[in-house]
Amino acid sequence: MTMISGSRAGLALGMALVLAGCGLGRMSEQECMERAMYFESNRSSRDGMVAVGSVVMNRVQSGQYPRSVCGVVAQKNQFAPGIMRRKMNLRTAPQVREAARSVLRGERHPLVGNAMFFHTAGHRFPYDNMHYVLVAGGNAFYEKRRNLLVTQPIPPHPVEGITGR
């Protein structure tokens, strides 16, 4: 067995974790982010894509979800069915590649804040812990809060210029 120096071992471990989160190296963080944006924002607006990407990054940074973009996007029952294997046609969403790159470089939707959840806009749920922050790209984005702290229990109406509709 060969011994690896401490820094090389750390690098090797870090690379293994990144590759494990990205489908064993089959997809990059960029590709996984593109998939989340493509399948979850209904390819409707850059605003909606950045909002989805902001939620993905909030999850990555939270410590409650996998620590990689691919790990978050590939989590079972969290995003669109087949998100990691369905075919994408980027001609139908020409902004997705740029939007994904921008979010990975640090851009966040200013109204998403700490939200880690969203669902299709127009759906209603009986829960009393959903504090809505934005409707964009066909989705309603929300934070889970104790019901006493929910001040926006119904998704806000889309506003031109803020939601991209």
Side-chain angles (χ1 to χ4, degrees):
M1 182 156 117
T2 306
M3 295 297 289
I4 300 175
S5 71
S7 63
R8 287 177 52 194
L11 179 62
L13 177 60
M15 288 302 294
L17 291 173
V18 167
L19 291 175
C22 290
L24 299 175
R26 289 187 291 260
M27 288 187 203
S28 67
E29 299 278 288
Q30 171 80 28
E31 291 168 310
C32 291
M33 182 64 78
E34 289 173 10
R35 289 182 157 282
M37 291 177 168
Y38 181 88
F39 290 112
E40 293 291 358
S41 73
N42 302 317
R43 299 170 287 288
S44 63
S45 68
R46 184 181 190 284
D47 196 49
M49 288 186 262
V50 171
V52 167
S54 297
V55 165
V56 170
M57 295 310 295
N58 285 348
R59 286 183 176 203
V60 167
Q61 295 165 354
S62 75
Q64 300 171 39
Y65 294 89
R67 303 291 296 182
S68 72
V69 171
C70 293
V72 165
V73 174
Q75 246 192 329
K76 191 173 182 171
N77 300 321
Q78 294 296 304
F79 292 94
I83 194 168
M84 299 303 284
R85 65 181 181 280
R86 289 171 41 201
K87 286 191 139 212
M88 293 191 312
N89 178 355
L90 293 181
R91 287 179 296 207
T92 64
Q95 295 178 321
V96 75
R97 187 156 283 142
E98 180 278 327
R101 186 176 304 115
S102 186
V103 167
L104 289 171
R105 290 181 177 162
E107 180 181 358
R108 299 295 181 268
H109 193 289
L111 299 178
V112 167
N114 295 320
M116 289 193 282
F117 308 96
F118 61 91
H119 61 74
T120 303
H123 282 66
R124 298 283 185 259
F125 297 92
Y127 312 117
D128 62 359
N129 67 339
M130 299 165 82
H131 174 81
Y132 290 94
V133 296
L134 174 70
V135 174
N139 293 309
F141 296 83
Y142 64 96
E143 299 172 358
K144 288 184 180 178
R145 294 183 176 180
R146 289 186 22 221
N147 63 352
L148 298 173
L149 301 175
V150 172
T151 59
Q152 185 71 31
I154 299 172
H157 292 286
V159 176
E160 189 64 40
I162 293 177
T163 64
R165 289 190 172 253

